[in-house]
Amino acid sequence: MELELDILKENKRLALENERRLTTNGILAIDVMGSVGSGKTSLIKAMIHELKSRSRIAVIEGDVTTTIDADLIASEGVAAVQVNTGKECHLDANLIRKALDRMSLNSLDLIFIENVGNLICPAEFPLGSKKRLVVISVTEGPYMVLKHPMMFLGADAVAINKVDLADAMGVSPTKLMADVAKLYPKSVAVGTSCRNGVGVEKVIEALGLKAR
Ligand SMILES: Nc1nc2c(ncn2[C@@H]2O[C@H](COP(=O)(O)OP(=O)(O)OP(=O)(O)O)[C@@H](O)[C@H]2O)c(=O)[nH]1
Ligand SMILES: [Mg+2]
């Protein structure tokens, strides 16, 4: 128990260090968390597509073992740094510190950090990012917000993705958005589809990236 508290305390200290380092370099970092397969990589790709002409962007890709997501991001023409977490179900501030060491920070404006897909562990480990985006999708059923409240507290934006499949799934994106609003009213919940681009602009706006 004490060991666990020490780990969380040390993580917080390193997250603050990362935050200071990013601020010094004028970089906004966004922690993108969410369930497995909900569309984190697809949404990051869609946002990069909209933003890359006016911002210098890189991505830190957290994955348990593969480089699949990093390769997908690289296809948008931006640098992707792969961080494999091995057995861990989340990124932590120390892994981000090491990833930042490998990046040329003075030539970047924006860093998306794709966390490992799940709705439990990442919530406890701040990374030093200024903003948090949580991605869930209608294909996971109607109770994702109610079952995983910790994940949504502190989220600047929540994407309810795959709205193109809502009817087929019999799941209401509006109800999921209402669940988010009730739990954490400061968060902006947006229905999105990475298949047809619905809602991507709204997520960009909710994260304060419009003017960048
Ligand atoms: N129909 C539909 N499919 C989507 C949408 N967004 C993503 N997908 C598909 O869902 C699958 C998973 O998408 P990813 O973007 O890889 O999801 P992820 O959350 O990054 O997945 P992990 O990193 O493995 O947790 C892919 O086959 C995508 O093409 C969407 O809005 N609609
Ligand atoms: Mg992914």
Side-chain angles (χ1 to χ4, degrees):
M1 190 69 176
E2 207 163 285
L3 182 65
E4 199 174 307
L5 285 176
D6 282 351
I7 290 171
L8 292 178
K9 204 169 149 197
E10 178 61 3
N11 184 76
K12 215 173 219 173
R13 189 186 69 75
L14 289 172
L16 280 173
E17 253 179 37
N18 289 343
E19 191 176 329
R20 271 195 291 271
R21 192 172 172 195
L22 289 160
T23 304
T24 306
N25 283 281
I27 298 171
L28 176 65
I30 297 172
D31 186 2
V32 183
M33 304 179 286
S35 23
V36 175
S38 58
K40 298 177 296 300
T41 309
S42 304
L43 189 54
I44 291 170
K45 261 189 85 173
M47 289 192 284
I48 290 173
H49 194 76
E50 294 301 317
L51 295 166
K52 69 182 178 188
S53 63
R54 50 186 203 267
S55 293
R56 297 166 301 169
I57 307 172
V59 180
I60 298 174
E61 272 297 337
D63 211 324
V64 176
T65 51
T66 76
T67 62
I68 293 171
D69 288 355
D71 296 344
L72 278 171
I73 294 294
S75 73
E76 271 300 324
V78 308
V81 175
Q82 179 74 41
V83 177
N84 288 130
T85 58
K87 283 190 207 150
E88 296 297 333
C89 55
H90 58 87
L91 289 170
D92 62 41
N94 191 39
L95 288 169
I96 297 303
R97 182 179 64 81
K98 288 195 253 176
L100 294 177
D101 287 344
R102 290 156 58 198
M103 301 166 85
S104 34
L105 299 183
N106 54 10
S107 56
L108 288 173
D109 306 309
L110 182 59
I111 297 178
F112 290 104
I113 303 170
E114 180 175 343
N115 219 309
V116 180
N118 77 72
L119 289 175
I120 300 163
C121 342
E124 278 201 280
F125 287 84
L127 305 177
S129 63
K130 269 263 158 58
K131 304 256 175 182
R132 281 178 159 201
L133 165 65
V134 176
V135 185
I136 58 169
S137 69
V138 297
T139 54
E140 292 136 37
Y143 304 120
M144 279 298 114
V145 180
L146 299 177
K147 282 184 177 175
H148 302 284
M150 295 310 286
M151 196 52 148
F152 298 87
L153 303 177
D156 298 278
V158 175
I160 315 291
N161 194 33
K162 307 193 188 180
V163 292
D164 55 297
L165 299 176
D167 287 346
M169 289 303 299
V171 171
S172 163
T174 314
K175 169 69 170 64
L176 285 164
M177 283 186 247
D179 289 343
V180 174
K182 204 165 165 193
L183 190 66
Y184 189 65
K186 279 193 216 159
S187 182
V188 179
V190 182
T192 58
S193 170
C194 297
R195 274 287 143 87
N196 52 32
V198 163
V200 176
E201 269 297 324
K202 275 194 187 162
V203 176
I204 288 174
E205 207 172 313
L207 292 170
L209 302 177
K210 193 113 182 157
R212 289 179 83 88

